[in-house]
Amino acid sequence: MKLQPEPQMPRVWRRESKPHRFCPGCGHPLALKALGEAVDDLDWQDRVVFGCDIGCSLLAWDFFDLDTVQTHHGRTLPVLVGLKRVRPELVPIAYMGDGGAYAIGVQHLVSAAARDEPVCSLVVNNAVYAMTGGQMAPTTLPGQKTETTPYGRDPALSGHPLKGAEMVAAVAAPEAYVARGSVANLRQLKRYLLRALQNPHFSLVEVLASCPTNWRTNAAETWEWVEKEMPRYFPLGELKGGVREEERR
Amino acid sequence: MTAVIERERRAFLTGNEVVAWAALAAGAEVMFGYPITPQNEIMHYWARLAPRYGRKFLQTEDELSAGYATIGAVLGGVKAFTATAGPGHVLMQEALAMAEMMRLPVVAIITQRGGPSTATVIYSQQEVNLACFGGNGEGFRLVYSVAGLQDLYEYTLKAFGMAWRYRLPTIVLGDGYQAKMRGPVKLFDPARQGIDTGMAAPFLGAAGTPGRERPPVHLRNTYNLEEELLAVVEEQARSFEQVAEQVAEYEEEKREGAAILLVAHGIVARAAQLAAGRLRRRGKAVGFFRPVTLRPFPETALRRAAFEAEMVLVAESAWGQLERLVRASLSGSEVPVQAYRRPGMGITPEELEEELEKILAARKSSGWSRGDEVAARAADATGLAP
Amino acid sequence: MSIARIVLGGEGGQGVQTIAEILAEAAYRSGLEALYIPNFGVEQRGGVSLAFVQLGDEVVAVPKFRRAQVVVALSDRAIQRTADYVTRETTFIYEASAAVDPSFLPREAGRLLPVPAVKLATEHLHPRVFNVLILGTVVGVVDMVEETALKAALEGLLGHKFALKPELRELNYRALGEGRELALTA
Ligand SMILES: Cc1ncc(C[n+]2csc(CCOP(=O)(O)OP(=O)(O)O)c2C)c(N)n1
Ligand code: SF4
């Protein structure tokens, strides 16, 4: 039942592991497409190391022809920080869900940003804990129903959604790069990722992404959510510009 | 408080639903948890049911936080619990170590999954070491290993009672199979069945102004001197050992002059019990022993049963975790111990039957087993075999 | 037969777990012992969904097993995935259109029972009742579950849908009936 490799697959995608394991309509493979193209454009297959968290991100453990390490939930950043400290020539990227990055691993994220560790994070914000079956995530929107907010997220009880990119921008060094893109605009997302990967400082790109399985939405509703609802709370754009090419020389 | 379950009723539930009902029926006021398979639905049901009964739920940022928040609620004087598994259980042990040191009646439901590391989200019995001895301490806690849905209901009720009576962190040790399987279970009001589910009382913030109307409570888990710590741990050890004989529980099917005593815990014990029974019906001398408490371990009872047998076979879905407890209990004795180890795999009665037959055949051919003859004689005497 | 062991396999969305749940619930309501466990794991996303059901007049203590009296496979991948559970005593029920490559069918099965459920459901009933039709066949083969219990279990799981669209109830009953007939005639 092997599908023909899609002609538009990034070079760095591993053919043997396709078709991938994400659900139809999932945002993960779109984010990974933008990432793959960015790595292709830079021709950095020899130096990018891919780290994935526990969450649906772990389904990408053999996604790329890149050296990859799959770690514990929330612990991807510290693993890659250690790697980068002993192998400065490598370009590690931590691929995490919003739960991994902004809840269980938030202490690692904040500390890495504050210390300006030169690693890159790609955080998939799908507003739920997807892998464990659709519980509330730090990013769940007010009123949004999940398995653990069966009556809708009530900010009076469980607080407001966490704006992770803004939080990181607030604690990160001036040279850090922080941006928020969306799987609804892959060209923009790829542009952000190119800057993040090339920034020799801490960088984070959050990407708004779909999870139709746990949202229980049809195709039209899913896109409505990603394109219209989510950006209302999580505005797209660059929050911190990093070090530009010209400044680096 | 009005009873959650007023009239006894049979229901067709998953293990995770059973736990949520049991915690409600036991009067737990609050649950703290962090998502992890196969525990998730305990939280899902609790989150749905809790508001209807005026109970609370908080999803924390991780298991560290879930464990410590449970401790906070207990200090405030309510029955509180948490649930986790696998790598979450590892984190939870940090808070459980504090509960052990301060003798706080924290109740944790553990649904074992495969290990080490992330492994599988499915099933194992590989969290025995962790449940019994996790954390930087001595393992002064109660661990009930349940074997089936009815057990899960009754021991979750009991866990609250025992935790609060003895002021010990208490673990209900289940597994992914029991969490996810759906079957018949009888729900009842614990008060009517005489099951003690504990009386909670505040450790902090009791009535009266501290320092004026009563002395302040100063709880601590840090000590300055080695001697201070030694005294504290010795006192804990003494009181744990004192209650050990009372709280240790087990189940057994004896076989006089048994060739083999089959030992298993949790859901594997059910397979073991079936296998041993079938062999006995075929005239083979096989006994069965199931430790229900893994901490404290029913050492005396196991020694008694093992000394009557020619050998012990330990079966478990782990690589020797129960076996280690068994060997420690039997230390100094001559009874040989063999193991059937299937880490992360379910164990069926059929494969245990095969294993037992194999051992019996090997012993017979090596000529030093008296098991079969003894079996036949004992069967006549006890009427156990058809 | 004191305990009937049944494995069901299919693609996500084919309703394997629903069949299993209704079957187990119906057995329970028929006064039988019953135990149901889904397989679950990270591979489940995008993988074959399996369900294990045991029913009978003996207490079922162990949730999983290695050999089944009845195996149900609803997709070509499920046919391969469930082959391990087949013995010479097994009735192997499979969606007829899923046997793309008949060489994958377990030849050793005591009885091979193809069910054109997709075709029948689409042509006579509604594609959505495909899994209930299969359920009917399983119930026909196992022949331990009472009709009233089956309907009650169906009501328990799908009642909220019937409430919105009462004609669905009749449709599901007809699917059950057609499925059951296939068990007897095919
Ligand atoms: C210490 C620990 N706690 C809990 C889990 C269970 N767990 C696995 S994935 C996950 C949530 C994933 O959510 P997110 O990070 O948002 O990623 P998504 O699945 O949405 O992509 C959790 C809680 C775990 N593996 N380890
Ligand atoms: S559950 Fe959601 S995030 Fe996970 S693979 Fe499916 S659609 Fe994607």
Side-chain angles (χ1 to χ4, degrees):
Chain A
M1 279 243 308
K2 209 96 189 160
L3 297 186
Q4 288 304 310
E6 306 161 45
Q8 70 273 30
M9 261 193 217
R11 280 200 314 281
V12 69
W13 275 29
R14 183 170 171 76
R15 262 59 184 168
E16 287 82 340
S17 61
K18 308 294 168 297
H20 59 67
R21 306 181 182 83
F22 299 98
C23 307
C26 176
H28 276 280
L30 298 173
L32 293 171
K33 182 158 187 229
L35 177 62
E37 287 178 4
V39 174
D40 282 357
D41 283 10
L42 293 168
D43 204 21
W44 275 5
Q45 201 159 341
D46 59 348
R47 69 192 74 168
V48 173
V49 174
F50 187 66
C52 53
D53 211 81
I54 299 294
C56 286
S57 55
L58 78 82
L59 300 175
W61 65 274
D62 62 350
F63 199 93
F64 290 114
D65 278 326
L66 288 175
D67 282 354
T68 298
V69 54
Q70 183 251 308
T71 74
H72 279 190
H73 191 30
R75 312 297 177 222
T76 305
L77 258 180
V79 170
L80 296 187
V81 163
L83 177 70
K84 179 73 178 176
R85 287 210 166 214
V86 296
R87 295 286 302 279
E89 76 279 16
L90 298 177
V91 179
I93 175 151
Y95 186 61
M96 307 175 273
D98 39 53
Y102 299 155
I104 193 165
V106 72
Q107 69 275 43
H108 308 307
L109 181 65
V110 168
S111 307
R115 289 200 306 263
D116 195 32
E117 301 278 357
V119 294
C120 179
S121 297
L122 174 51
V123 178
V124 175
N125 173 357
N126 52 20
V128 285
Y129 280 10
M131 174 61 81
T132 42
Q135 297 87 2
M136 182 185 74
T139 47
T140 295
L141 295 179
Q144 186 183 337
K145 284 189 179 158
T146 71
E147 288 293 348
T148 50
T149 55
Y151 308 106
R153 181 177 189 159
D154 177 0
L157 283 178
S158 40
H160 290 276
L162 188 74
K163 297 194 177 193
E166 286 79 355
M167 172 187 72
V168 167
V171 297
E175 301 87 346
Y177 177 81
V178 181
R180 183 184 286 116
S182 165
V183 295
N185 187 343
L186 288 186
R187 283 163 63 108
Q188 180 195 55
L189 177 61
K190 179 177 153 189
R191 207 164 60 240
Y192 291 170
L193 282 168
L194 280 168
R195 289 193 191 138
L197 285 168
Q198 291 179 92
N199 193 42
H201 289 267
F202 181 85
S203 58
L204 174 131
V205 175
E206 179 183 304
V207 52
L208 304 183
S210 48
C211 175
T213 301
N214 287 298
W215 295 354
R216 293 162 209 251
T217 45
N218 62 29
E221 292 161 351
T222 305
W223 279 103
E224 170 82 13
W225 243 76
V226 176
E227 278 191 306
K228 305 253 166 61
E229 278 308 312
M230 294 184 78
R232 257 199 264 280
Y233 205 94
F234 301 114
L236 304 182
E238 295 181 297
L239 288 99
K240 258 183 141 87
V243 185
R244 295 293 159 135
E245 205 82 59
E246 46 289 2
E247 296 163 48
R248 253 187 274 156
R249 287 203 196 98
Chain B
M1 200 187 327
T2 57
V4 171
I5 295 152
E6 300 203 15
R7 267 185 319 113
E8 180 174 310
R9 64 186 169 88
R10 260 169 73 86
F12 196 63
L13 301 175
T14 65
N16 283 340
E17 286 173 292
V18 167
V19 169
W21 280 111
L24 275 175
E29 291 287 344
V30 61
M31 174 187 188
F32 301 93
Y34 189 82
I36 191 160
T37 310
Q39 165 279 129
N40 289 316
E41 296 81 9
I42 298 179
M43 288 190 317
H44 297 176
Y45 297 122
W46 180 268
R48 222 160 275 188
L49 292 170
R52 292 196 219 153
Y53 295 91
R55 317 290 175 85
K56 294 181 184 136
F57 170 70
L58 180 68
Q59 183 181 324
T60 55
E61 69 277 18
D62 59 23
E63 291 83 356
L64 302 168
S65 173
Y68 286 112
T70 308
I71 286 178
V74 162
L75 289 173
V78 304
K79 290 184 227 170
F81 77 109
T82 182
T84 188
H89 184 190
V90 173
L91 293 188
M92 186 64 66
Q93 284 296 335
E94 190 180 315
L96 284 171
M98 176 165 144
E100 177 179 325
M101 171 62 112
M102 299 169 71
R103 302 215 36 186
L104 303 176
V106 167
V107 172
I109 316 294
I110 305 296
T111 57
Q112 298 171 92
R113 55 187 251 172
S117 184
T118 311
T120 74
V121 302
I122 303 170
Y123 162 85
S124 86
Q125 295 188 315
Q126 295 171 282
E127 295 174 46
V128 167
N129 291 345
L130 201 53
C132 293
F133 299 107
N136 54 339
E138 305 296 336
F140 300 137
R141 69 262 311 257
L142 305 178
V143 178
Y144 291 98
S145 173
V146 295
L149 297 173
Q150 195 61 42
D151 240 31
L152 199 50
Y153 185 69
E154 292 174 19
Y155 281 106
T156 302
L157 293 175
K158 188 168 185 176
F160 287 96
M162 299 301 272
W164 282 90
R165 176 170 338 148
Y166 294 110
R167 297 283 195 265
L168 287 170
T170 301
I171 290 175
V172 178
L173 188 65
D175 58 60
Y177 285 173
Q178 298 186 71
K180 297 275 190 173
M181 71 191 196
R182 185 183 288 279
V185 60
K186 193 176 71 189
L187 305 180
F188 53 78
D189 176 15
R192 291 196 196 176
Q193 303 263 335
I195 295 186
D196 174 21
T197 56
M199 280 287 291
F203 290 76
L204 301 175
T209 312
R212 217 171 328 128
E213 291 158 39
R214 61 171 174 83
V217 177
H218 289 151
L219 299 176
R220 61 172 177 165
N221 57 50
T222 311
Y223 296 90
N224 231 355
L225 304 174
E226 297 97 313
E227 292 79 1
E228 277 182 298
L229 175 67
L230 176 65
V232 169
V233 178
E234 275 180 344
E235 169 53 28
Q236 289 175 352
R238 217 170 35 75
S239 75
F240 190 76
E241 278 152 20
Q242 219 165 41
V243 303
E245 283 297 312
Q246 277 157 260
V247 304
E249 283 185 41
Y250 60 94
E251 191 185 331
E252 69 180 332
E253 282 169 11
K254 282 223 224 177
R255 191 53 162 135
E256 227 162 287
I260 305 177
L261 179 70
L262 181 57
V263 182
H265 76 103
I267 195 75
V268 177
R270 289 289 167 248
Q273 189 178 16
L274 282 170
R278 286 179 198 165
L279 260 82
R280 276 201 306 272
R281 281 197 291 280
R282 295 206 290 271
K284 306 286 165 71
V286 178
F288 158 74
F289 187 93
R290 168 200 169 202
V292 175
T293 48
L294 299 183
R295 282 296 283 165
F297 199 73
E299 290 196 7
T300 318
L302 177 63
R303 286 173 77 87
R304 219 188 302 117
F307 291 169
E308 286 170 14
E310 283 182 21
M311 65 159 293
V312 169
L313 177 67
V314 182
E316 59 181 318
S317 300
W319 198 267
Q321 302 201 19
L322 173 65
E323 185 191 340
R324 218 159 10 237
L325 297 173
V326 168
R327 285 185 188 277
S329 298
L330 301 183
S331 71
S333 91
E334 305 277 274
V335 188
V337 176
Q338 270 191 40
Y340 186 75
R341 308 178 182 128
R342 304 281 286 158
M345 287 291 295
I347 295 179
T348 61
E350 293 74 25
E351 66 187 282
L352 287 179
E353 270 181 83
E354 266 171 44
E355 181 71 12
L356 291 165
E357 291 279 22
K358 221 165 51 196
I359 295 173
L360 289 171
R363 303 206 126 204
K364 204 166 181 177
S365 65
S366 73
W368 59 277
S369 170
R370 57 186 171 98
D372 286 353
E373 298 93 274
V374 176
R377 254 186 290 121
D380 286 346
T382 60
L384 262 173
Chain C
M1 183 161 45
S2 46
I3 295 179
R5 303 204 159 89
I6 305 155
V7 171
L8 305 101
E11 301 299 310
Q14 281 189 309
V16 165
Q17 304 303 338
T18 310
I19 303 177
E21 206 169 328
I22 297 174
L23 183 61
E25 178 90 27
Y28 167 68
R29 285 171 188 261
S30 305
L32 298 170
E33 294 292 340
L35 198 68
Y36 152 55
I37 188 167
N39 77 321
F40 53 99
V42 287
E43 278 297 321
Q44 200 183 328
R45 303 194 184 276
V48 171
S49 175
L50 285 186
F52 301 81
V53 179
Q54 299 174 80
L55 29 119
D57 47 20
E58 226 177 76
V59 173
V60 188
V62 183
K64 284 199 179 170
F65 46 84
R66 307 269 148 82
R67 305 275 176 264
Q69 279 86 33
V70 179
V71 174
V72 183
L74 302 185
S75 71
D76 58 342
R77 292 200 302 173
I79 289 175
Q80 297 179 49
R81 181 82 159 74
T82 54
D84 282 351
Y85 296 90
V86 174
T87 70
R88 251 176 283 151
E89 273 80 59
T90 302
T91 300
F92 189 83
I93 303 172
Y94 63 100
E95 161 53 40
S97 66
V100 185
D101 181 349
S103 69
F104 283 127
L105 288 172
R107 292 281 148 221
E108 68 277 24
R111 181 183 178 201
L112 282 176
L113 181 50
V115 176
V118 172
K119 184 161 179 283
L120 286 177
T122 314
E123 286 174 6
H124 299 180
L125 304 158
H126 188 284
R128 283 243 293 279
V129 297
F130 152 77
N131 60 339
V132 176
L133 202 143
I134 296 280
L135 172 64
T137 309
V138 177
V139 169
V141 168
V142 175
D143 199 22
M144 289 166 99
V145 173
E146 288 166 12
E147 189 68 24
T148 47
L150 186 59
K151 288 187 172 165
L154 205 62
E155 202 66 36
L157 234 82
L158 305 176
H160 60 287
K161 290 191 183 158
F162 297 166
L164 295 177
K165 258 183 151 188
E167 64 272 24
L168 279 183
R169 186 180 283 110
E170 199 41 48
L171 200 62
N172 276 280
Y173 286 177
R174 276 173 47 209
L176 274 181
E178 293 216 10
R180 198 195 275 273
E181 237 162 77
L182 287 173
L184 305 178
T185 56

